[in-house]
Amino acid sequence: MNMTTSCSSSSPSSPRLFAAKPQLYKPPLSSFSTPKRRRSPARRNLNSKDSTSDGNVITIYTSSSSSEDQSLSLTLDVNRISYLATTRFKLLLDSGKDAVSDLQTLVSLDDNKRVVVTCRKSTVQFVGSVVLLGLVFGFAVRVLVGLGTAFKGGLQGRPKLVVRRDRSLGGKEVVVAVDNVRSSSSSSVASSSRSNSVARTVNLRAAQNNLPKWWPASLPKQSLEEVVDKEDYQREANRIVRAIVDNRTSGRDITENDIIQLRRVCRIAGVQVSIEPTNTRDSFYRTSVDYVLNACSRAPWESSSVEICSEDAREFIAGLAENIGLAKIDAARMVSAAVAARTRSWFLQAWALEIQGKDSESVAELSKICLIHRIFPPEEYSAEMEMVARGLEKLMKLEERQSLLRTFVGMCCSEESQRSAAEALGLIDS
């Protein structure tokens, strides 16, 4: 009471004391600071330990009842494995939830309207783990599929075919050998049919590397005593070549007269010419082959040979290849390809005329095939006739091709021509 009175009666000149409330210091927002982000709840069970964590999944120890009798014991703790798998799976789920929550706030804007991209290290680790597991799973699937395919092929017992691409056939795959190590003895019928097919393919490949039978073994040579001035003939041959190249460059066709004159001059004097570039030379030779085939198709179909400029057609086309410096095997392939193209065209034309009821004209088309195959007979199992057969099988039915073959056999007496026509129609038993 007295204390209160004394205080209230104190001198007015004395200063008053006030107890101020303390305030916390707030630092200013720096230019590098980021706004507070909503933190996801902490991961659960990150540091939790269980009494079973000290156990081992696999325990290996040795026991011995005597110095000589020792045994190896391996203990596999199934409960421990189950516990670890469950724990790891739950941890993966929690990490996934945290990563999804963190990715939801991956991009944010600060107070200065700047885009801020932030994520936790654990999120990056989780994404990397998922990608790695995906790659491992995909690799495992591919390995299992490969093993299943190999196991299935081993059970079927199919022989392994050695296939190569033949550039002469336009990149077509050709079987060159058979590996019968994995073939089963129970498939004797199938293996015999495959061996016949392989033998036919091997014969086909061998035929591609040899000259056809109709190619002349040697060409008649002109006696040097009969040649008055060989240099004049060489200049004349070069002039003809220049004219051919100029016509080719200007877009004009090569005439039959140029072909005949060049062959005649080269045959008389035994000279050779060079046509550059090589595509012009090959084009000139293909045109010459077409000219020879046209001349043969106009001859009577009973003829056994056709002459062009007092020279056999086969010697004419072979000698022309030698005169222009074209390899024999390349020239023979060009002739075989042209014969195959004519065969396909004449067979289709003959069937079209037969459908229209023009039997005589159809037989005339077939007679051209008989004559051409007699002069330039295709090799047995030739690739060109096989390609013709595949093309005709897509355009004509089996009965139609058989009908054409019967008509052809009835009017063509050459057994070799009958065989090649049957190959072209795809009616040869493999």
Side-chain angles (χ1 to χ4, degrees):
M1 186 71 180
N2 293 330
M3 186 180 297
T4 305
T5 304
S6 62
C7 290
S8 59
S9 62
S10 61
S11 176
S13 62
S14 60
R16 293 185 177 183
L17 298 176
F18 298 95
K21 185 179 180 180
Q23 295 181 355
L24 297 176
Y25 173 74
K26 296 183 178 180
L29 185 65
S30 63
S31 59
F32 297 96
S33 62
T34 58
K36 292 183 178 181
R37 300 170 61 242
R38 181 177 59 84
R39 305 300 293 181
S40 59
R43 294 184 181 179
R44 293 168 292 179
N45 301 328
L46 288 179
N47 298 322
S48 63
K49 293 184 179 180
D50 193 84
S51 59
T52 59
S53 61
D54 296 334
N56 296 325
V57 176
I58 300 177
T59 305
I60 302 176
Y61 62 92
T62 59
S63 62
S64 60
S65 58
S66 63
S67 58
E68 297 180 356
D69 188 9
Q70 293 183 355
S71 62
L72 179 66
S73 177
L74 186 144
T75 304
L76 186 65
D77 192 350
V78 179
N79 295 329
R80 176 62 178 167
I81 295 177
S82 176
Y83 169 77
L84 289 177
T86 305
T87 304
R88 296 297 181 185
F89 183 71
K90 289 181 179 180
L91 183 61
L92 181 63
L93 291 181
D94 293 340
S95 301
K97 292 178 181 179
D98 292 343
V100 171
S101 177
D102 186 47
L103 291 176
Q104 290 177 354
T105 58
L106 179 67
V107 181
S108 61
L109 292 174
D110 61 1
D111 296 339
N112 296 328
K113 303 299 182 181
R114 292 176 300 181
V115 178
V116 180
V117 180
T118 58
C119 67
R120 294 199 303 270
K121 181 180 179 180
S122 59
T123 302
V124 177
Q125 292 176 349
F126 174 78
V127 174
S129 300
V130 171
V131 173
L132 182 60
L133 288 175
L135 294 176
V136 172
F137 180 76
F139 178 75
V141 170
R142 291 188 60 182
V143 171
L144 292 177
V145 171
L147 292 176
T149 304
F151 182 73
K152 182 180 179 180
L155 291 179
Q156 292 178 352
R158 293 182 178 179
K160 183 179 179 181
L161 302 180
V162 181
V163 182
R164 295 291 183 270
R165 292 188 179 274
D166 195 338
R167 296 178 59 187
S168 63
L169 303 181
K172 178 182 175 183
E173 291 186 351
V174 178
V175 179
V176 296
V178 178
D179 185 6
N180 292 319
V181 175
R182 302 189 315 176
S183 61
S184 61
S185 59
S186 60
S187 57
S188 58
V189 178
S191 61
S192 61
S193 61
R194 293 193 198 100
S195 61
N196 293 335
S197 177
V198 171
R200 177 178 177 180
T201 307
V202 171
N203 292 335
L204 181 150
R205 187 174 182 84
Q208 292 297 316
N209 298 326
N210 299 326
L211 290 174
K213 297 178 181 179
W214 57 263
W215 191 272
S218 61
L219 297 173
K221 300 293 183 180
Q222 190 76 15
S223 177
L224 296 178
E225 297 177 356
E226 300 178 4
V227 181
V228 178
D229 193 350
K230 188 175 181 178
E231 295 181 357
D232 291 341
Y233 283 100
Q234 184 67 60
R235 285 193 293 267
E236 178 66 15
N238 294 335
R239 184 194 65 80
I240 297 174
V241 169
R242 287 194 299 269
I244 292 174
V245 174
D246 293 340
N247 292 335
R248 174 75 176 177
T249 304
S250 59
R252 291 191 294 268
D253 296 333
I254 300 174
T255 63
E256 298 178 358
N257 183 60
D258 293 335
I259 299 172
I260 295 175
Q261 289 298 325
L262 180 62
R263 172 55 186 161
R264 183 184 65 83
V265 172
C266 293
R267 177 168 58 89
I268 292 175
V271 297
Q272 291 186 350
V273 294
S274 176
I275 302 179
E276 298 294 340
T278 56
N279 59 346
T280 302
R281 180 199 63 187
D282 296 344
S283 177
F284 169 77
Y285 190 76
R286 290 190 181 94
T287 304
S288 303
V289 172
D290 290 337
Y291 162 69
V292 172
L293 294 181
N294 291 335
C296 293
S297 63
R298 291 192 294 264
W301 68 273
E302 299 89 353
S303 304
S304 58
S305 63
V306 177
E307 290 188 354
I308 299 177
C309 191
S310 302
E311 188 179 13
D312 184 78
R314 289 165 287 202
E315 294 181 356
F316 181 91
I317 203 65
L320 187 61
E322 182 180 349
N323 297 146
I324 63 177
L326 183 62
K328 295 180 180 180
I329 188 65
D330 295 334
R333 287 172 181 168
M334 292 182 187
V335 177
S336 299
V339 171
R342 295 295 181 96
T343 301
R344 179 181 181 275
S345 176
W346 286 332
F347 267 131
L348 292 176
Q349 185 65 21
W351 179 247
L353 293 172
E354 185 173 341
I355 293 177
Q356 298 174 9
K358 302 177 181 179
D359 296 337
S360 59
E361 297 180 8
S362 176
V363 172
E365 295 295 322
L366 295 178
S367 64
K368 297 178 182 178
I369 301 175
C370 180
L371 179 58
I372 292 297
H373 285 208
R374 188 184 303 145
I375 300 175
F376 302 101
E379 293 295 315
E380 188 175 4
Y381 302 124
S382 65
E384 292 80 10
M385 291 299 105
E386 183 179 355
M387 296 177 66
V388 172
R390 292 183 179 181
L392 293 179
E393 287 174 358
K394 298 178 181 178
L395 300 176
M396 301 173 60
K397 298 180 181 179
L398 177 62
E399 296 79 7
E400 298 172 348
R401 289 181 280 119
Q402 290 175 347
S403 176
L404 275 181
L405 183 60
R406 285 193 295 268
T407 306
F408 184 86
V409 172
M411 51 84 55
C412 185
C413 301
S414 174
E415 295 182 358
E416 191 171 5
S417 298
Q418 294 176 5
R419 176 200 50 83
S420 60
E423 286 187 10
L425 292 172
L427 301 177
I428 291 291
D429 296 333
S430 57

